[in-house]
């Protein structure tokens, strides 16, 4: 499964060189800006999860000391930070990385080729010193000076990452500057997020999905798990102006075959069954349109979430594989029908 440490944990709860960060890029979104640092031929091309911590601080949903009292948006604040977000309270003192004080984050790749890029104002000297105190050694990664806590993809259940930080091997290899930290189990994925290769933002497919998503505060862009009629999926939460706003989710589907548009429009409605219940139990409305980006046309649905509904319902549909059944004509109309009770 992909690097969904925070996303999957939240879904379960709800259902029961390094460049500068924090600015808008081409297309006017933080997601598109983040993509400029990720290699189009790297692991982020298969899976990318993005989140904007700075916006949640602006709204008071979090402070630099951690989550505030607003519980409604809590499911979204760790998007893009993976296990670093899940273990944020344990990391700040021993590593010098305060996740809640950073600006943007991106978890990318499919295990074992995964990594994370965190952007914001960082004290790189303090972080390197604290990682060195944990046992990290100097290592050149992607032509930049980095540090290494363990060999590539090594897991030491008695080492500092597990025993002290609550991680597995996410900090095996680290490159940090005063504006970004890139880390991962192995050096190659880390090198792919240092901004030296061809940019994912210049990939016509990924750029089209980012343009379709628009100004999102949390998002996932990923390739289908199985080949079919869809090239890329994108889901996201539109940036709320205030904590009292209704949550608006965005679903973007980049088709490989023409039939996807008709399937998506007909199946993805409030009457669609998700988790065995109508989608209308969670959202007020579903509206469809198409977004043209370059030579690509992306099919889009906007979901206005009910006040008591999960603010990231679109993410849940994606990670549970229900979105494919509602968008891809090659997928079953209802994946629950594939499970037959035994007598």
């Amino acid at each position: 499964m992909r690097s969904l440490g925070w996303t999957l944990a939240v879904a379960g709860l709800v259902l029961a060189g390094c460049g500068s960060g924090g600015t808008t890029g081409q297309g006017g979104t933080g997601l598109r800006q983040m993509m400029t640092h990720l290699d189009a031929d790297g692991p982020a091309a298969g899976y990318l999860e993005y989140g904007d911590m700075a916006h949640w601080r602006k709204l008071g949903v979090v402070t630099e000391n951690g989550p505030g009292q607003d519980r409604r948006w809590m499911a979204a604040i760790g998007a893009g930070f993976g296990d670093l977000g899940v273990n944020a309270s344990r990391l700040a003192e021993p590593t010098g990385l305060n996740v809640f004080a950073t600006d943007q984050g991106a978890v990318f790749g499919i295990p074992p080729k995964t990594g994370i890029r965190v952007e914001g104002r960082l004290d790189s000297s303090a972080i390197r010193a604290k990682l060195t105190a944990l046992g990290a050694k100097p290592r050149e990664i992607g032509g930049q000076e980095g540090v290494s806590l363990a060999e590539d993809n090594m897991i030491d259940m008695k080492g500092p990452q597990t025993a002290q930080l609550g991680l597995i091997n996410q900090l095996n290899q680290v490159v940090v500057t005063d504006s970004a930290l890139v880390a991962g189990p192995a050096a190659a994925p880390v090198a792919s997020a240092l901004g030296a290769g061809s940019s994912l933002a210049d990939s016509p497919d990924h750029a089209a999905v980012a343009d379709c998503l628009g100004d999102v505060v949390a998002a996932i862009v990923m390739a289908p798990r199985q080949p079919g009629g869809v090239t890329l999926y994108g889901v996201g939460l539109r940036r709320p102006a205030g904590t009292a706003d209704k949550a608006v989710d965005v679903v973007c589907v980049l088709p490989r075959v023409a039939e996807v548009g008709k399937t998506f429009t007909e199946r993805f409605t409030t009457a669609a069954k998700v988790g065995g219940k109508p989608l209308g139990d969670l959202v007020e409305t579903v509206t469809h349109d198409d977004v043209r980006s370059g030579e690509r046309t992306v099919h889009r649905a906007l979901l206005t979430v009910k006040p008591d509904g999960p603010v990231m319902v679109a993410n849940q549909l994606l990670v549970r594989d229900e979105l494919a059944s509602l968008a891809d004509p090659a997928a079953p109309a209802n994946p629950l029908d594939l499970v037959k009770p035994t007598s």
Side-chain angles (χ1 to χ4, degrees):
M1 188 60 187
R2 293 164 171 81
S3 301
L4 297 174
W6 182 284
T7 301
L8 289 179
V10 166
L13 291 172
V14 172
L15 289 172
C18 291
S20 60
T23 60
T24 57
Q26 186 179 4
T29 71
L31 172 61
R32 191 73 175 266
Q33 173 67 20
M34 180 64 76
M35 285 181 171
T36 65
H37 303 294
L38 306 175
D39 194 333
D41 298 318
Y47 179 85
L48 169 62
E49 177 185 328
Y50 166 81
D52 187 341
M53 189 68 73
H55 188 67
W56 299 123
R57 282 201 310 278
K58 179 180 178 181
L59 297 187
V61 176
V62 299
T63 71
E64 292 190 0
N65 296 320
Q69 298 302 311
D70 190 316
R71 312 307 297 177
R72 179 168 177 254
W73 301 98
M74 199 56 56
I77 65 170
F81 293 90
D83 287 341
L84 299 189
V86 174
N87 295 282
S89 61
R90 299 177 63 175
L91 294 175
E93 177 59 32
T95 70
L97 173 64
N98 182 356
V99 171
F100 295 115
T102 62
D103 291 341
Q104 285 83 32
V107 176
F108 58 88
I110 302 169
K113 298 179 180 179
T114 63
I116 182 169
R117 181 182 172 96
V118 176
E119 299 184 351
R121 289 180 294 177
L122 306 173
D123 188 339
S124 60
S125 296
I127 292 173
R128 278 194 295 267
K130 294 206 171 200
L131 291 176
T132 298
L134 289 173
K137 307 297 182 184
R139 180 180 182 181
E140 183 178 300
I141 302 173
Q144 297 196 34
E145 179 182 341
V147 294
S148 173
L149 272 172
E151 296 180 5
D152 282 358
N153 297 313
M154 179 180 175
I155 298 175
D156 182 0
M157 300 306 294
K158 296 182 180 180
Q161 292 195 67
T162 302
Q164 295 176 242
L165 309 180
L167 304 176
I168 298 175
N169 59 1
Q170 288 88 348
L171 296 179
N172 276 11
Q173 318 303 336
V174 179
V175 174
V176 59
T177 70
D178 287 338
S179 61
L181 177 145
V182 184
V190 172
S192 76
L194 298 177
S198 56
S199 168
L200 193 64
D202 293 330
S203 161
D205 290 346
H206 284 79
V209 172
D211 289 344
C212 172
L213 289 170
D215 193 12
V216 286
V217 70
I220 296 175
V221 179
M222 62 176 275
R225 292 188 176 94
Q226 300 294 333
V230 174
T231 299
L232 279 177
Y233 290 105
V235 297
L237 171 64
R238 280 286 170 84
R239 185 181 306 274
T243 56
D245 285 7
K246 290 184 177 181
V248 177
D249 284 5
V250 192
V251 177
C252 297
V253 180
L254 179 62
R256 189 186 305 275
V257 298
E259 293 81 5
V260 167
K262 182 174 184 293
T263 299
F264 186 47
T265 302
E266 291 180 350
R267 293 185 184 177
F268 200 89
T269 67
T270 54
K273 290 294 183 66
V274 295
K277 298 180 179 180
L279 181 59
D281 286 359
L282 304 176
V283 305
E284 295 177 353
T285 60
V286 176
T287 60
H288 287 267
D289 66 356
D290 289 339
V291 178
R292 185 74 178 175
S293 176
E295 298 182 355
R296 307 290 193 272
T297 296
V298 187
H299 307 303
R300 179 169 63 184
L302 297 179
L303 290 68
T304 302
V305 181
K306 290 184 174 181
D308 58 348
V311 298
M312 296 178 70
V313 62
N315 287 50
Q316 296 175 14
L317 297 178
L318 181 64
V319 300
R320 293 188 318 214
D321 269 345
E322 291 181 300
L323 179 54
S325 72
L326 299 173
D328 191 342
N334 185 349
L336 296 179
D337 289 340
L338 297 178
V339 181
K340 302 297 183 181
T342 58
S343 57

